[in-house]
Amino acid sequence: MSHTLTAISAAAPLAAGWTMHGLWFRRSLDQARRDPLTGLPTRASFEKHAEQLLRETRCAVLLIDLDGFKQINDVHGHAAGDAAIRAAGGRLGTWVQVQDGAVGRLGGDEFAAVVPMRHTTDLPVELRTLHEMVCEPVAFDGHLIPLGSSIGAYHGPFPAPGLSTALRVADEAMYGAKQTGGGWLITSNPIPAYRTVNGRRDGRPGTDIDAEEGTT
């Protein structure tokens, strides 16, 4: 009996050590899958979840871009820009969580989301709510910084086209909203209208060496 108790006592710290190691490993893995600034899933994690949703049900695919972000950086500094991205990401994450959808930061001030949306009539109401949430001013260094956004949404029949195509047409709708001063725009057409350069809509930063940064 005493040998059994001795063995159990010796094994207990080892088991505790493995438990702590397992918790540390899972925490590290979760952090690697999340954007360090916003806490949202990275692009790879978002795409995996989004593609699963698109296979299961009718969804809306959203592309969200902040308006006037370059001006925030230029006038208030990069720390203010980070605060704006962090706030927008948090608000978007809250909205998507209610919708049981997928969300991620694609890079810079650009975000994407895929949310189950069976009925076409529901989407305008939801987008209006989301736009109002994202555009709430951001508190920074004792000031309220205005925040704007443009949202493009693809919402078509089920089954949907691939995620890449759906994001492309949502991006085109976002560009249309931005050209008219921001807000949101919905398309149900799964066929992209713009040609692409290096996989990106013609005219976006990076597709033209003469293009002015921040114009799309």
Coordinates of all heavy atoms in Angstrom, one line a residue, residues 128-209:
R128 N -27.1 48.0 -41.7 CA -27.3 49.4 -41.2 C -26.8 49.4 -39.7 O -26.1 50.3 -39.3 CB -28.7 49.8 -41.3 CG -29.0 51.2 -40.8 CD -30.5 51.6 -41.0 NE -30.9 51.5 -42.4 CZ -31.7 50.6 -42.9 NH1 -32.3 49.7 -42.0 NH2 -32.0 50.6 -44.1
T129 N -27.1 48.3 -39.0 CA -26.7 48.2 -37.6 C -25.2 48.1 -37.5 O -24.5 48.8 -36.7 CB -27.3 47.0 -36.9 OG1 -28.8 47.1 -36.9 CG2 -26.8 46.8 -35.5
L130 N -24.6 47.3 -38.3 CA -23.1 47.1 -38.3 C -22.4 48.4 -38.7 O -21.4 48.7 -38.0 CB -22.7 46.0 -39.3 CG -21.2 45.8 -39.5 CD1 -20.6 45.4 -38.2 CD2 -21.0 44.7 -40.6
H131 N -22.9 49.1 -39.7 CA -22.2 50.3 -40.1 C -22.3 51.3 -39.0 O -21.3 52.0 -38.8 CB -22.9 50.8 -41.4 CG -22.2 52.0 -42.0 ND1 -22.6 53.3 -41.8 CD2 -21.1 52.1 -42.8 CE1 -21.8 54.1 -42.5 NE2 -20.8 53.4 -43.0
E132 N -23.4 51.4 -38.3 CA -23.5 52.4 -37.2 C -22.5 52.0 -36.1 O -21.9 52.9 -35.5 CB -24.9 52.4 -36.7 CG -25.9 53.1 -37.7 CD -27.3 53.0 -37.2 OE1 -27.6 52.4 -36.2 OE2 -28.2 53.6 -37.9
M133 N -22.4 50.7 -35.8 CA -21.5 50.3 -34.8 C -20.0 50.6 -35.1 O -19.3 51.2 -34.3 CB -21.6 48.8 -34.6 CG -22.9 48.3 -33.9 SD -23.0 46.5 -33.8 CE -21.6 46.1 -32.8
V134 N -19.6 50.3 -36.3 CA -18.2 50.5 -36.7 C -17.9 51.9 -36.7 O -16.8 52.3 -36.4 CB -18.0 49.8 -38.1 CG1 -16.6 50.2 -38.6 CG2 -18.1 48.3 -38.0
C135 N -18.9 52.8 -37.1 CA -18.6 54.2 -37.3 C -18.7 55.1 -36.0 O -18.6 56.3 -36.1 CB -19.5 54.8 -38.4 SG -19.1 54.2 -40.0
E136 N -18.9 54.4 -34.9 CA -18.9 55.2 -33.6 C -17.5 55.8 -33.4 O -16.5 55.2 -33.7 CB -19.2 54.3 -32.4 CG -20.7 53.9 -32.3 CD -21.5 55.1 -31.8 OE1 -21.0 55.9 -31.0 OE2 -22.6 55.3 -32.3
P137 N -17.4 57.1 -33.0 CA -16.1 57.7 -32.8 C -15.2 56.9 -31.8 O -15.8 56.2 -31.0 CB -16.4 59.1 -32.2 CG -17.8 59.3 -32.7 CD -18.5 58.0 -32.7
V138 N -13.9 57.0 -32.0 CA -13.0 56.2 -31.2 C -12.3 57.2 -30.2 O -11.8 58.2 -30.6 CB -11.9 55.5 -32.1 CG1 -10.9 54.8 -31.2 CG2 -12.6 54.6 -33.0
A139 N -12.4 56.8 -28.9 CA -11.7 57.6 -27.9 C -10.2 57.4 -27.9 O -9.8 56.2 -27.8 CB -12.3 57.3 -26.5
F140 N -9.4 58.4 -28.0 CA -7.9 58.3 -28.0 C -7.3 59.5 -27.5 O -7.5 60.6 -28.0 CB -7.4 58.0 -29.4 CG -5.9 57.9 -29.5 CD1 -5.3 56.7 -29.1 CD2 -5.2 59.0 -30.0 CE1 -3.9 56.6 -29.2 CE2 -3.8 58.9 -30.0 CZ -3.2 57.7 -29.6
D141 N -6.5 59.4 -26.5 CA -5.7 60.5 -25.9 C -6.6 61.7 -25.6 O -6.2 62.8 -25.9 CB -4.6 60.9 -26.9 CG -3.5 61.7 -26.3 OD1 -3.3 61.6 -25.0 OD2 -2.8 62.4 -27.0
G142 N -7.7 61.5 -25.0 CA -8.6 62.5 -24.6 C -9.4 63.1 -25.7 O -10.1 64.1 -25.5
H143 N -9.4 62.5 -26.9 CA -10.1 63.1 -28.0 C -11.1 62.0 -28.6 O -10.8 60.8 -28.4 CB -9.2 63.6 -29.1 CG -8.3 64.6 -28.7 ND1 -8.6 65.9 -28.6 CD2 -6.9 64.6 -28.4 CE1 -7.6 66.7 -28.2 NE2 -6.6 65.9 -28.1
L144 N -12.1 62.4 -29.3 CA -12.9 61.5 -30.0 C -12.6 61.6 -31.5 O -12.8 62.6 -32.1 CB -14.4 61.8 -29.8 CG -15.0 61.4 -28.5 CD1 -16.5 61.8 -28.4 CD2 -14.9 59.9 -28.3
I145 N -12.1 60.5 -32.1 CA -11.7 60.5 -33.5 C -12.8 59.9 -34.3 O -13.3 58.8 -34.1 CB -10.4 59.6 -33.7 CG1 -9.3 60.1 -32.8 CG2 -10.0 59.5 -35.1 CD1 -8.0 59.3 -32.8
P146 N -13.3 60.7 -35.3 CA -14.4 60.2 -36.2 C -13.9 59.0 -37.0 O -12.7 58.9 -37.4 CB -14.7 61.3 -37.1 CG -13.9 62.5 -36.6 CD -12.8 62.0 -35.7
L147 N -14.8 58.0 -37.2 CA -14.4 56.8 -37.9 C -15.5 56.5 -38.9 O -16.7 56.6 -38.6 CB -14.4 55.6 -36.9 CG -13.7 54.4 -37.4 CD1 -12.2 54.6 -37.8 CD2 -13.7 53.3 -36.4
G148 N -15.1 56.3 -40.2 CA -16.0 55.9 -41.2 C -15.7 54.6 -41.8 O -14.6 54.0 -41.6
S149 N -16.6 54.0 -42.5 CA -16.4 52.7 -43.1 C -17.3 52.5 -44.3 O -18.3 53.1 -44.5 CB -16.7 51.6 -42.1 OG -18.0 51.4 -41.9
S150 N -16.8 51.7 -45.2 CA -17.6 51.2 -46.4 C -17.7 49.7 -46.3 O -16.7 49.0 -46.1 CB -16.9 51.6 -47.7 OG -16.8 53.0 -47.8
I151 N -18.9 49.2 -46.6 CA -19.1 47.8 -46.5 C -19.7 47.3 -47.8 O -20.7 47.8 -48.2 CB -20.1 47.5 -45.3 CG1 -19.6 48.0 -44.0 CG2 -20.3 46.0 -45.2 CD1 -20.5 47.9 -42.8
G152 N -19.1 46.3 -48.3 CA -19.7 45.6 -49.5 C -20.1 44.2 -49.1 O -19.5 43.5 -48.3
A153 N -21.3 43.8 -49.6 CA -21.8 42.5 -49.2 C -22.3 41.7 -50.5 O -23.0 42.3 -51.4 CB -23.0 42.6 -48.3
Y154 N -21.9 40.5 -50.5 CA -22.4 39.5 -51.6 C -23.4 38.6 -50.9 O -23.1 38.0 -49.8 CB -21.3 38.7 -52.2 CG -22.0 37.5 -53.0 CD1 -22.6 37.8 -54.2 CD2 -22.0 36.3 -52.5 CE1 -23.2 36.8 -54.9 CE2 -22.6 35.2 -53.2 CZ -23.2 35.5 -54.4 OH -23.8 34.5 -55.1
H155 N -24.7 38.6 -51.4 CA -25.7 37.7 -50.9 C -26.5 37.1 -52.0 O -27.3 37.8 -52.6 CB -26.6 38.5 -49.9 CG -27.5 37.6 -49.1 ND1 -28.9 37.8 -49.0 CD2 -27.3 36.5 -48.4 CE1 -29.4 36.9 -48.3 NE2 -28.5 36.1 -47.9
G156 N -26.1 35.9 -52.4 CA -26.8 35.3 -53.6 C -27.4 33.9 -53.2 O -27.5 33.6 -52.0
P157 N -27.8 33.2 -54.2 CA -28.4 31.9 -53.9 C -27.5 30.9 -53.3 O -26.2 31.0 -53.3 CB -28.9 31.4 -55.3 CG -28.8 32.6 -56.2 CD -27.8 33.5 -55.6
F158 N -28.0 29.9 -52.6 CA -27.2 28.8 -52.1 C -27.3 27.6 -53.1 O -28.4 27.3 -53.6 CB -27.8 28.3 -50.7 CG -27.1 27.2 -50.1 CD1 -25.9 27.4 -49.4 CD2 -27.6 25.9 -50.2 CE1 -25.2 26.4 -48.8 CE2 -26.9 24.8 -49.6 CZ -25.7 25.1 -48.9
P159 N -26.2 26.9 -53.4 CA -24.9 27.1 -52.8 C -24.1 28.3 -53.4 O -24.4 28.7 -54.5 CB -24.1 25.8 -53.1 CG -24.8 25.4 -54.4 CD -26.2 25.8 -54.3
A160 N -23.3 28.9 -52.5 CA -22.6 30.1 -52.9 C -21.4 29.8 -53.8 O -20.9 28.6 -53.8 CB -22.1 30.9 -51.7
P161 N -20.8 30.7 -54.5 CA -19.5 30.5 -55.2 C -18.4 30.3 -54.2 O -18.7 30.5 -53.0 CB -19.3 31.8 -56.0 CG -20.1 32.8 -55.3 CD -21.3 32.1 -54.7
G162 N -17.3 30.0 -54.6 CA -16.2 29.9 -53.6 C -15.9 31.2 -52.9 O -16.3 32.2 -53.3
L163 N -15.3 31.0 -51.7 CA -15.0 32.2 -50.9 C -14.2 33.3 -51.6 O -14.6 34.5 -51.5 CB -14.3 31.8 -49.6 CG -13.9 32.9 -48.7 CD1 -15.1 33.6 -48.1 CD2 -13.0 32.3 -47.5
S164 N -13.3 32.9 -52.4 CA -12.4 33.9 -53.1 C -13.3 34.7 -54.0 O -13.2 35.9 -54.1 CB -11.3 33.1 -53.9 OG -10.6 34.1 -54.6
T165 N -14.2 34.1 -54.8 CA -15.1 34.8 -55.7 C -16.0 35.7 -55.0 O -16.3 36.8 -55.3 CB -15.8 33.8 -56.6 OG1 -14.9 33.0 -57.4 CG2 -16.8 34.5 -57.6
A166 N -16.6 35.1 -53.9 CA -17.6 35.9 -53.1 C -16.9 37.1 -52.5 O -17.5 38.2 -52.5 CB -18.2 35.0 -52.0
L167 N -15.7 37.0 -52.1 CA -15.0 38.2 -51.5 C -14.6 39.2 -52.6 O -14.7 40.4 -52.3 CB -13.7 37.7 -50.8 CG -13.8 37.1 -49.4 CD1 -12.5 36.5 -49.0 CD2 -14.4 38.1 -48.4
R168 N -14.4 38.7 -53.8 CA -14.1 39.6 -54.9 C -15.3 40.5 -55.2 O -15.1 41.7 -55.4 CB -13.6 38.9 -56.1 CG -12.2 38.5 -56.2 CD -11.8 37.8 -57.5 NE -12.1 38.6 -58.7 CZ -12.0 38.1 -59.9 NH1 -11.8 36.8 -60.1 NH2 -12.3 38.9 -60.9
V169 N -16.5 39.9 -55.3 CA -17.6 40.7 -55.7 C -18.1 41.6 -54.5 O -18.6 42.7 -54.6 CB -18.8 39.8 -56.2 CG1 -18.4 39.2 -57.5 CG2 -19.2 38.7 -55.2
A170 N -17.8 41.1 -53.2 CA -18.1 41.9 -52.1 C -17.2 43.1 -52.0 O -17.6 44.2 -51.7 CB -17.9 41.1 -50.8
D171 N -15.9 42.9 -52.5 CA -14.9 44.0 -52.6 C -15.4 45.0 -53.6 O -15.3 46.2 -53.4 CB -13.6 43.4 -52.9 CG -12.5 44.5 -53.2 OD1 -12.2 45.2 -52.2 OD2 -12.1 44.6 -54.4
E172 N -15.9 44.6 -54.7 CA -16.4 45.5 -55.7 C -17.6 46.3 -55.2 O -17.7 47.5 -55.5 CB -16.8 44.7 -57.0 CG -15.6 44.1 -57.7 CD -16.0 43.3 -58.9 OE1 -17.3 43.2 -59.2 OE2 -15.2 42.8 -59.6
A173 N -18.5 45.6 -54.4 CA -19.6 46.4 -53.8 C -19.1 47.4 -52.8 O -19.6 48.5 -52.7 CB -20.6 45.4 -53.2
M174 N -18.1 47.0 -52.0 CA -17.5 47.9 -51.1 C -16.9 49.1 -51.8 O -17.1 50.3 -51.3 CB -16.4 47.2 -50.3 CG -15.7 48.1 -49.2 SD -14.4 49.1 -49.8 CE -13.2 47.8 -50.3
Y175 N -16.2 48.9 -52.9 CA -15.7 50.0 -53.7 C -16.8 50.9 -54.2 O -16.6 52.2 -54.1 CB -14.9 49.4 -54.9 CG -14.3 50.4 -55.8 CD1 -13.2 51.2 -55.3 CD2 -14.7 50.6 -57.1 CE1 -12.6 52.2 -56.2 CE2 -14.2 51.6 -57.9 CZ -13.1 52.3 -57.5 OH -12.6 53.3 -58.3
G176 N -17.9 50.4 -54.6 CA -19.0 51.2 -55.0 C -19.6 52.0 -53.9 O -19.9 53.2 -54.1
A177 N -19.7 51.5 -52.7 CA -20.1 52.2 -51.5 C -19.1 53.4 -51.2 O -19.5 54.5 -50.9 CB -20.3 51.3 -50.3
K178 N -17.8 53.1 -51.3 CA -16.8 54.1 -51.0 C -16.9 55.2 -52.0 O -16.6 56.4 -51.6 CB -15.4 53.4 -51.0 CG -14.3 54.3 -50.4 CD -13.0 53.5 -50.3 CE -13.0 52.5 -49.3 NZ -12.9 53.1 -47.9
Q179 N -17.1 54.9 -53.2 CA -17.2 55.9 -54.3 C -18.3 56.9 -54.1 O -18.3 58.0 -54.6 CB -17.3 55.3 -55.7 CG -16.0 54.5 -56.1 CD -14.8 55.4 -56.3 OE1 -14.0 55.6 -55.4 NE2 -14.7 56.1 -57.4
T180 N -19.3 56.5 -53.3 CA -20.5 57.4 -53.1 C -20.5 57.9 -51.7 O -21.5 58.4 -51.2 CB -21.8 56.6 -53.3 OG1 -21.9 55.5 -52.5 CG2 -21.9 56.2 -54.8
G181 N -19.3 57.9 -51.0 CA -19.2 58.5 -49.7 C -19.3 57.6 -48.5 O -19.4 58.0 -47.4
G182 N -19.2 56.3 -48.7 CA -19.3 55.3 -47.6 C -20.7 54.8 -47.4 O -21.6 55.1 -48.2
G183 N -20.8 53.9 -46.4 CA -22.1 53.2 -46.2 C -21.9 51.8 -46.6 O -20.9 51.2 -46.3
W184 N -23.0 51.2 -47.2 CA -22.9 49.8 -47.5 C -23.7 49.6 -48.8 O -24.6 50.4 -49.2 CB -23.5 48.9 -46.4 CG -24.8 49.4 -45.9 CD1 -25.1 50.3 -44.8 CD2 -26.2 49.1 -46.4 NE1 -26.4 50.5 -44.6 CE2 -27.1 49.8 -45.6 CE3 -26.6 48.4 -47.4 CZ2 -28.5 49.7 -45.8 CZ3 -28.0 48.3 -47.6 CH2 -28.9 49.0 -46.8
L185 N -23.3 48.5 -49.5 CA -23.9 48.2 -50.8 C -23.9 46.7 -50.9 O -23.0 46.0 -50.5 CB -23.1 48.8 -51.9 CG -23.6 48.7 -53.3 CD1 -24.9 49.5 -53.5 CD2 -22.6 49.2 -54.4
I186 N -25.0 46.1 -51.4 CA -25.2 44.7 -51.6 C -25.3 44.3 -53.0 O -25.9 45.0 -53.9 CB -26.6 44.3 -50.9 CG1 -26.6 44.7 -49.4 CG2 -26.8 42.7 -51.1 CD1 -27.9 44.5 -48.8
T187 N -24.6 43.2 -53.4 CA -24.8 42.6 -54.7 C -25.2 41.2 -54.6 O -24.8 40.5 -53.7 CB -23.5 42.8 -55.5 OG1 -23.6 42.2 -56.8 CG2 -22.3 42.0 -54.8
S188 N -25.9 40.7 -55.6 CA -26.3 39.3 -55.7 C -25.6 38.6 -56.9 O -25.9 37.4 -57.2 CB -27.8 39.1 -55.7 OG -28.3 39.8 -56.9
N189 N -24.8 39.4 -57.6 CA -24.2 38.9 -58.8 C -22.9 38.2 -58.5 O -22.0 38.9 -58.0 CB -24.0 40.0 -59.8 CG -23.4 39.6 -61.2 OD1 -23.2 38.4 -61.4 ND2 -23.2 40.5 -62.1
P190 N -22.7 36.9 -58.7 CA -21.5 36.2 -58.4 C -20.3 36.4 -59.4 O -19.3 35.9 -59.2 CB -21.9 34.8 -58.3 CG -23.0 34.7 -59.3 CD -23.7 36.0 -59.3
I191 N -20.6 37.2 -60.5 CA -19.6 37.3 -61.5 C -18.9 38.7 -61.3 O -19.5 39.7 -61.4 CB -20.2 37.3 -62.9 CG1 -21.0 35.9 -63.1 CG2 -19.2 37.4 -64.0 CD1 -21.7 35.8 -64.4
P192 N -17.6 38.7 -61.0 CA -16.9 39.9 -60.9 C -16.9 40.8 -62.1 O -16.9 40.3 -63.2 CB -15.4 39.5 -60.6 CG -15.6 38.1 -60.1 CD -16.7 37.5 -60.8
A193 N -17.1 42.1 -61.9 CA -17.2 43.1 -63.0 C -15.9 43.7 -63.4 O -15.7 44.1 -64.5 CB -18.2 44.2 -62.6
Y194 N -14.9 43.7 -62.4 CA -13.6 44.3 -62.7 C -12.6 43.2 -63.0 O -12.6 42.1 -62.5 CB -13.2 45.1 -61.5 CG -14.0 46.3 -61.1 CD1 -15.1 46.2 -60.4 CD2 -13.6 47.6 -61.6 CE1 -15.9 47.4 -60.1 CE2 -14.3 48.7 -61.3 CZ -15.5 48.6 -60.5 OH -16.2 49.7 -60.2
R195 N -11.6 43.6 -63.9 CA -10.5 42.7 -64.1 C -9.6 42.7 -62.8 O -9.7 43.7 -62.0 CB -9.7 43.1 -65.3 CG -8.9 44.4 -65.2 CD -8.2 44.7 -66.5 NE -7.4 45.9 -66.4 CZ -6.1 45.8 -66.1 NH1 -5.5 44.6 -66.0 NH2 -5.3 46.9 -66.1
T196 N -8.8 41.7 -62.7 CA -7.9 41.7 -61.6 C -6.4 41.8 -62.0 O -6.1 41.4 -63.1 CB -8.1 40.4 -60.8 OG1 -7.8 39.3 -61.6 CG2 -9.5 40.2 -60.2
V197 N -5.6 42.3 -61.1 CA -4.2 42.4 -61.3 C -3.5 41.8 -60.1 O -3.7 42.3 -59.0 CB -3.7 43.9 -61.5 CG1 -2.2 44.0 -61.7 CG2 -4.4 44.6 -62.7
N198 N -2.7 40.7 -60.4 CA -2.1 40.0 -59.3 C -3.1 39.6 -58.2 O -2.9 39.6 -57.0 CB -1.0 40.9 -58.6 CG 0.1 41.3 -59.5 OD1 0.5 40.5 -60.4 ND2 0.6 42.5 -59.4
G199 N -4.3 39.2 -58.7 CA -5.3 38.6 -57.8 C -6.1 39.7 -57.1 O -6.9 39.4 -56.2
R200 N -5.9 41.0 -57.4 CA -6.6 42.1 -56.7 C -7.4 42.9 -57.7 O -7.0 43.0 -58.8 CB -5.7 42.9 -55.9 CG -5.0 42.2 -54.7 CD -3.9 43.0 -54.1 NE -4.5 44.2 -53.4 CZ -5.0 44.2 -52.2 NH1 -5.2 43.1 -51.6 NH2 -5.5 45.3 -51.7
R201 N -8.5 43.5 -57.3 CA -9.3 44.3 -58.1 C -8.4 45.4 -58.7 O -7.7 46.1 -58.0 CB -10.5 44.9 -57.4 CG -11.2 46.0 -58.2 CD -12.5 46.4 -57.5 NE -12.3 46.7 -56.1 CZ -11.7 47.8 -55.6 NH1 -11.3 48.7 -56.4 NH2 -11.6 48.0 -54.3
D202 N -8.5 45.6 -60.0 CA -7.8 46.7 -60.7 C -8.1 48.0 -60.1 O -9.3 48.4 -59.9 CB -8.2 46.7 -62.2 CG -7.3 47.6 -63.0 OD1 -6.2 48.0 -62.5 OD2 -7.7 48.0 -64.1
G203 N -7.1 48.7 -59.7 CA -7.3 50.1 -59.1 C -7.0 50.1 -57.6 O -6.8 51.1 -57.0
R204 N -6.9 48.9 -57.0 CA -6.6 48.8 -55.5 C -5.1 49.1 -55.3 O -4.3 48.8 -56.2 CB -7.0 47.5 -54.9 CG -8.5 47.3 -54.8 CD -8.8 46.0 -54.1 NE -8.3 46.0 -52.7 CZ -9.0 46.5 -51.7 NH1 -10.1 47.1 -51.9 NH2 -8.5 46.4 -50.5
P205 N -4.7 49.6 -54.2 CA -3.3 49.8 -53.9 C -2.5 48.5 -54.2 O -2.9 47.4 -53.8 CB -3.3 50.2 -52.4 CG -4.6 50.7 -52.2 CD -5.6 50.0 -53.0
G206 N -1.4 48.7 -54.9 CA -0.5 47.6 -55.2 C -0.7 47.0 -56.6 O 0.1 46.2 -57.1
T207 N -1.8 47.5 -57.3 CA -2.0 47.0 -58.6 C -1.5 48.0 -59.7 O -1.4 47.6 -60.9 CB -3.5 46.8 -58.9 OG1 -4.2 48.0 -58.7 CG2 -4.1 45.7 -57.9
D208 N -1.2 49.2 -59.2 CA -0.7 50.2 -60.2 C 0.4 51.0 -59.5 O 0.1 51.6 -58.4 CB -1.8 51.1 -60.6 CG -1.4 52.1 -61.7 OD1 -0.2 52.3 -61.8 OD2 -2.3 52.6 -62.4
I209 N 1.6 51.0 -60.0 CA 2.7 51.7 -59.3 C 2.4 53.2 -59.2 O 3.0 54.0 -58.4 CB 4.0 51.5 -60.0 CG1 4.0 51.9 -61.4 CG2 4.4 50.0 -59.9 CD1 5.4 51.8 -62.1

